[in-house]
mmCIF file of all heavy atoms in Angstrom:
data_model
loop_
_atom_site.group_PDB
_atom_site.id
_atom_site.type_symbol
_atom_site.label_atom_id
_atom_site.label_comp_id
_atom_site.label_asym_id
_atom_site.label_seq_id
_atom_site.Cartn_x
_atom_site.Cartn_y
_atom_site.Cartn_z
ATOM 1 N N PRO U 1259 -9.926 -12.329 0.694
ATOM 2 C CA PRO U 1259 -10.917 -12.948 1.587
ATOM 3 C C PRO U 1259 -11.856 -11.900 2.183
ATOM 4 O O PRO U 1259 -13.056 -12.174 2.364
ATOM 5 C CB PRO U 1259 -10.041 -13.524 2.732
ATOM 6 C CG PRO U 1259 -8.734 -13.744 2.123
ATOM 7 C CD PRO U 1259 -8.527 -12.692 1.101
ATOM 8 N N ILE U 1260 -11.382 -10.678 2.421
ATOM 9 C CA ILE U 1260 -12.282 -9.572 2.966
ATOM 10 C C ILE U 1260 -13.361 -9.252 1.932
ATOM 11 O O ILE U 1260 -14.543 -9.175 2.204
ATOM 12 C CB ILE U 1260 -11.455 -8.370 3.377
ATOM 13 C CG1 ILE U 1260 -10.617 -8.644 4.637
ATOM 14 C CG2 ILE U 1260 -12.373 -7.144 3.647
ATOM 15 C CD1 ILE U 1260 -9.681 -7.502 5.030
ATOM 16 N N GLN U 1261 -12.924 -9.083 0.644
ATOM 17 C CA GLN U 1261 -13.879 -8.730 -0.391
ATOM 18 C C GLN U 1261 -14.910 -9.860 -0.555
ATOM 19 O O GLN U 1261 -16.112 -9.567 -0.669
ATOM 20 C CB GLN U 1261 -13.083 -8.576 -1.705
ATOM 21 C CG GLN U 1261 -12.374 -7.262 -1.856
ATOM 22 C CD GLN U 1261 -11.666 -7.180 -3.223
ATOM 23 O OE1 GLN U 1261 -11.015 -8.134 -3.602
ATOM 24 N NE2 GLN U 1261 -11.865 -6.100 -3.927
ATOM 25 N N LYS U 1262 -14.462 -11.058 -0.598
ATOM 26 C CA LYS U 1262 -15.395 -12.225 -0.786
ATOM 27 C C LYS U 1262 -16.357 -12.271 0.414
ATOM 28 O O LYS U 1262 -17.543 -12.532 0.211
ATOM 29 C CB LYS U 1262 -14.652 -13.543 -0.910
ATOM 30 C CG LYS U 1262 -13.934 -13.700 -2.234
ATOM 31 C CD LYS U 1262 -13.218 -15.016 -2.271
ATOM 32 C CE LYS U 1262 -12.557 -15.233 -3.648
ATOM 33 N NZ LYS U 1262 -11.824 -16.545 -3.646
ATOM 34 N N GLY U 1263 -15.911 -11.998 1.590
ATOM 35 C CA GLY U 1263 -16.705 -12.103 2.807
ATOM 36 C C GLY U 1263 -17.842 -11.010 2.734
ATOM 37 O O GLY U 1263 -19.013 -11.245 3.006
ATOM 38 N N TRP U 1264 -17.472 -9.743 2.302
ATOM 39 C CA TRP U 1264 -18.473 -8.679 2.256
ATOM 40 C C TRP U 1264 -19.548 -8.972 1.174
ATOM 41 O O TRP U 1264 -20.682 -8.727 1.418
ATOM 42 C CB TRP U 1264 -17.754 -7.301 1.949
ATOM 43 C CG TRP U 1264 -17.307 -6.681 3.199
ATOM 44 C CD1 TRP U 1264 -16.015 -6.489 3.582
ATOM 45 C CD2 TRP U 1264 -18.130 -6.063 4.213
ATOM 46 N NE1 TRP U 1264 -15.909 -5.893 4.850
ATOM 47 C CE2 TRP U 1264 -17.234 -5.600 5.231
ATOM 48 C CE3 TRP U 1264 -19.475 -5.858 4.401
ATOM 49 C CZ2 TRP U 1264 -17.677 -4.952 6.367
ATOM 50 C CZ3 TRP U 1264 -19.900 -5.230 5.540
ATOM 51 C CH2 TRP U 1264 -19.022 -4.758 6.485
ATOM 52 N N LEU U 1265 -19.057 -9.423 0.025
ATOM 53 C CA LEU U 1265 -20.033 -9.771 -1.004
ATOM 54 C C LEU U 1265 -21.015 -10.847 -0.582
ATOM 55 O O LEU U 1265 -22.240 -10.758 -0.869
ATOM 56 C CB LEU U 1265 -19.293 -10.233 -2.319
ATOM 57 C CG LEU U 1265 -18.626 -9.105 -3.144
ATOM 58 C CD1 LEU U 1265 -17.749 -9.783 -4.224
ATOM 59 C CD2 LEU U 1265 -19.703 -8.233 -3.738
ATOM 60 N N ALA U 1266 -20.494 -11.893 0.103
ATOM 61 C CA ALA U 1266 -21.348 -12.966 0.599
ATOM 62 C C ALA U 1266 -22.357 -12.474 1.612
ATOM 63 O O ALA U 1266 -23.494 -12.879 1.589
ATOM 64 C CB ALA U 1266 -20.490 -14.081 1.194
ATOM 65 N N LEU U 1267 -21.917 -11.553 2.474
ATOM 66 C CA LEU U 1267 -22.791 -10.958 3.511
ATOM 67 C C LEU U 1267 -23.913 -10.176 2.855
ATOM 68 O O LEU U 1267 -25.061 -10.235 3.242
ATOM 69 C CB LEU U 1267 -21.954 -10.121 4.444
ATOM 70 C CG LEU U 1267 -22.749 -9.442 5.595
ATOM 71 C CD1 LEU U 1267 -23.425 -10.491 6.495
ATOM 72 C CD2 LEU U 1267 -21.823 -8.517 6.405
ATOM 73 N N ILE U 1268 -23.585 -9.336 1.838
ATOM 74 C CA ILE U 1268 -24.585 -8.499 1.217
ATOM 75 C C ILE U 1268 -25.589 -9.322 0.417
ATOM 76 O O ILE U 1268 -26.787 -9.086 0.478
ATOM 77 C CB ILE U 1268 -23.830 -7.450 0.268
ATOM 78 C CG1 ILE U 1268 -23.079 -6.471 1.131
ATOM 79 C CG2 ILE U 1268 -24.904 -6.713 -0.614
ATOM 80 C CD1 ILE U 1268 -22.059 -5.683 0.321
ATOM 81 N N ARG U 1269 -25.066 -10.324 -0.335
ATOM 82 C CA ARG U 1269 -25.968 -11.110 -1.187
ATOM 83 C C ARG U 1269 -26.935 -12.028 -0.366
ATOM 84 O O ARG U 1269 -28.072 -12.218 -0.751
ATOM 85 C CB ARG U 1269 -25.147 -11.993 -2.145
ATOM 86 C CG ARG U 1269 -24.499 -11.221 -3.243
ATOM 87 C CD ARG U 1269 -23.465 -12.101 -4.003
ATOM 88 N NE ARG U 1269 -22.752 -11.338 -5.016
ATOM 89 C CZ ARG U 1269 -21.685 -11.777 -5.576
ATOM 90 N NH1 ARG U 1269 -21.104 -12.892 -5.218
ATOM 91 N NH2 ARG U 1269 -21.075 -11.029 -6.463
ATOM 92 N N ASN U 1270 -26.437 -12.624 0.724
ATOM 93 C CA ASN U 1270 -27.201 -13.587 1.465
ATOM 94 C C ASN U 1270 -26.843 -13.469 2.956
ATOM 95 O O ASN U 1270 -26.076 -14.281 3.503
ATOM 96 C CB ASN U 1270 -26.946 -15.025 0.906
ATOM 97 C CG ASN U 1270 -27.793 -16.090 1.601
ATOM 98 O OD1 ASN U 1270 -28.652 -15.719 2.412
ATOM 99 N ND2 ASN U 1270 -27.548 -17.319 1.308
ATOM 100 N N PRO U 1271 -27.468 -12.493 3.646
ATOM 101 C CA PRO U 1271 -27.098 -12.252 5.074
ATOM 102 C C PRO U 1271 -27.270 -13.446 5.954
ATOM 103 O O PRO U 1271 -26.467 -13.825 6.722
ATOM 104 C CB PRO U 1271 -27.943 -11.096 5.533
ATOM 105 C CG PRO U 1271 -28.419 -10.501 4.219
ATOM 106 C CD PRO U 1271 -28.451 -11.478 3.163
ATOM 107 N N LEU U 1272 -28.496 -14.130 5.790
ATOM 108 C CA LEU U 1272 -28.820 -15.306 6.644
ATOM 109 C C LEU U 1272 -27.867 -16.429 6.349
ATOM 110 O O LEU U 1272 -27.396 -17.117 7.260
ATOM 111 C CB LEU U 1272 -30.250 -15.689 6.419
ATOM 112 C CG LEU U 1272 -31.312 -14.702 6.982
ATOM 113 C CD1 LEU U 1272 -32.687 -15.201 6.546
ATOM 114 C CD2 LEU U 1272 -31.233 -14.602 8.475
ATOM 115 N N GLY U 1273 -27.618 -16.648 5.044
ATOM 116 C CA GLY U 1273 -26.683 -17.714 4.732
ATOM 117 C C GLY U 1273 -25.311 -17.534 5.236
ATOM 118 O O GLY U 1273 -24.604 -18.384 5.725
ATOM 119 N N PHE U 1274 -24.865 -16.216 5.152
ATOM 120 C CA PHE U 1274 -23.476 -15.879 5.622
ATOM 121 C C PHE U 1274 -23.414 -16.167 7.129
ATOM 122 O O PHE U 1274 -22.501 -16.768 7.564
ATOM 123 C CB PHE U 1274 -23.258 -14.402 5.348
ATOM 124 C CG PHE U 1274 -21.871 -13.951 5.753
ATOM 125 C CD1 PHE U 1274 -20.783 -14.099 4.917
ATOM 126 C CD2 PHE U 1274 -21.655 -13.433 7.068
ATOM 127 C CE1 PHE U 1274 -19.522 -13.637 5.295
ATOM 128 C CE2 PHE U 1274 -20.412 -13.002 7.445
ATOM 129 C CZ PHE U 1274 -19.358 -13.147 6.577
ATOM 130 N N VAL U 1275 -24.424 -15.691 7.884
ATOM 131 C CA VAL U 1275 -24.424 -15.908 9.347
ATOM 132 C C VAL U 1275 -24.443 -17.398 9.654
ATOM 133 O O VAL U 1275 -23.674 -17.844 10.485
ATOM 134 C CB VAL U 1275 -25.602 -15.181 9.993
ATOM 135 C CG1 VAL U 1275 -25.738 -15.590 11.497
ATOM 136 C CG2 VAL U 1275 -25.488 -13.705 9.890
ATOM 137 N N GLY U 1276 -25.269 -18.185 8.961
ATOM 138 C CA GLY U 1276 -25.385 -19.573 9.227
ATOM 139 C C GLY U 1276 -24.108 -20.342 8.851
ATOM 140 O O GLY U 1276 -23.571 -21.085 9.697
ATOM 141 N N ASN U 1277 -23.566 -20.051 7.613
ATOM 142 C CA ASN U 1277 -22.471 -20.855 7.117
ATOM 143 C C ASN U 1277 -21.119 -20.440 7.657
ATOM 144 O O ASN U 1277 -20.218 -21.282 7.870
ATOM 145 C CB ASN U 1277 -22.421 -20.836 5.548
ATOM 146 C CG ASN U 1277 -23.656 -21.506 4.983
ATOM 147 O OD1 ASN U 1277 -24.138 -22.453 5.529
ATOM 148 N ND2 ASN U 1277 -24.092 -21.030 3.824
ATOM 149 N N ARG U 1278 -20.910 -19.107 7.751
ATOM 150 C CA ARG U 1278 -19.572 -18.566 8.113
ATOM 151 C C ARG U 1278 -19.360 -18.387 9.602
ATOM 152 O O ARG U 1278 -18.254 -18.287 10.067
ATOM 153 C CB ARG U 1278 -19.348 -17.251 7.408
ATOM 154 C CG ARG U 1278 -19.476 -17.308 5.902
ATOM 155 C CD ARG U 1278 -18.297 -17.989 5.322
ATOM 156 N NE ARG U 1278 -18.354 -17.927 3.886
ATOM 157 C CZ ARG U 1278 -17.821 -16.990 3.108
ATOM 158 N NH1 ARG U 1278 -17.205 -15.910 3.709
ATOM 159 N NH2 ARG U 1278 -17.913 -17.049 1.819
ATOM 160 N N ILE U 1279 -20.483 -18.248 10.347
ATOM 161 C CA ILE U 1279 -20.376 -17.909 11.804
ATOM 162 C C ILE U 1279 -20.881 -19.114 12.640
ATOM 163 O O ILE U 1279 -20.147 -19.694 13.427
ATOM 164 C CB ILE U 1279 -21.043 -16.586 12.177
ATOM 165 C CG1 ILE U 1279 -20.398 -15.465 11.349
ATOM 166 C CG2 ILE U 1279 -20.957 -16.300 13.627
ATOM 167 C CD1 ILE U 1279 -21.124 -14.139 11.435
ATOM 168 N N LEU U 1280 -22.235 -19.341 12.501
ATOM 169 C CA LEU U 1280 -22.876 -20.275 13.423
ATOM 170 C C LEU U 1280 -22.350 -21.743 13.131
ATOM 171 O O LEU U 1280 -22.074 -22.469 14.046
ATOM 172 C CB LEU U 1280 -24.377 -20.285 13.281
ATOM 173 C CG LEU U 1280 -25.001 -19.007 13.751
ATOM 174 C CD1 LEU U 1280 -26.526 -19.052 13.391
ATOM 175 C CD2 LEU U 1280 -24.846 -18.822 15.256
ATOM 176 N N TYR U 1281 -22.209 -22.058 11.823
ATOM 177 C CA TYR U 1281 -21.766 -23.476 11.496
ATOM 178 C C TYR U 1281 -20.371 -23.781 12.012
ATOM 179 O O TYR U 1281 -20.140 -24.749 12.662
ATOM 180 C CB TYR U 1281 -21.901 -23.697 10.014
ATOM 181 C CG TYR U 1281 -21.517 -25.110 9.590
ATOM 182 C CD1 TYR U 1281 -22.452 -26.174 9.710
ATOM 183 C CD2 TYR U 1281 -20.221 -25.380 9.064
ATOM 184 C CE1 TYR U 1281 -22.135 -27.428 9.354
ATOM 185 C CE2 TYR U 1281 -19.920 -26.678 8.720
ATOM 186 C CZ TYR U 1281 -20.821 -27.691 8.856
ATOM 187 O OH TYR U 1281 -20.540 -28.927 8.454
ATOM 188 N N PRO U 1282 -19.352 -22.873 11.751
ATOM 189 C CA PRO U 1282 -18.050 -23.185 12.270
ATOM 190 C C PRO U 1282 -17.965 -23.267 13.771
ATOM 191 O O PRO U 1282 -17.313 -24.078 14.333
ATOM 192 C CB PRO U 1282 -17.105 -21.973 11.747
ATOM 193 C CG PRO U 1282 -17.891 -21.491 10.585
ATOM 194 C CD PRO U 1282 -19.306 -21.680 10.873
#
Side-chain angles (χ1 to χ4, degrees):
I1260 289 172
Q1261 284 181 311
K1262 286 182 179 177
W1264 274 109
L1265 284 172
L1267 178 61
I1268 292 163
R1269 287 172 184 163
N1270 184 6
L1272 290 174
F1274 182 88
V1275 171
N1277 293 329
R1278 302 287 183 90
I1279 300 170
L1280 294 174
Y1281 183 80

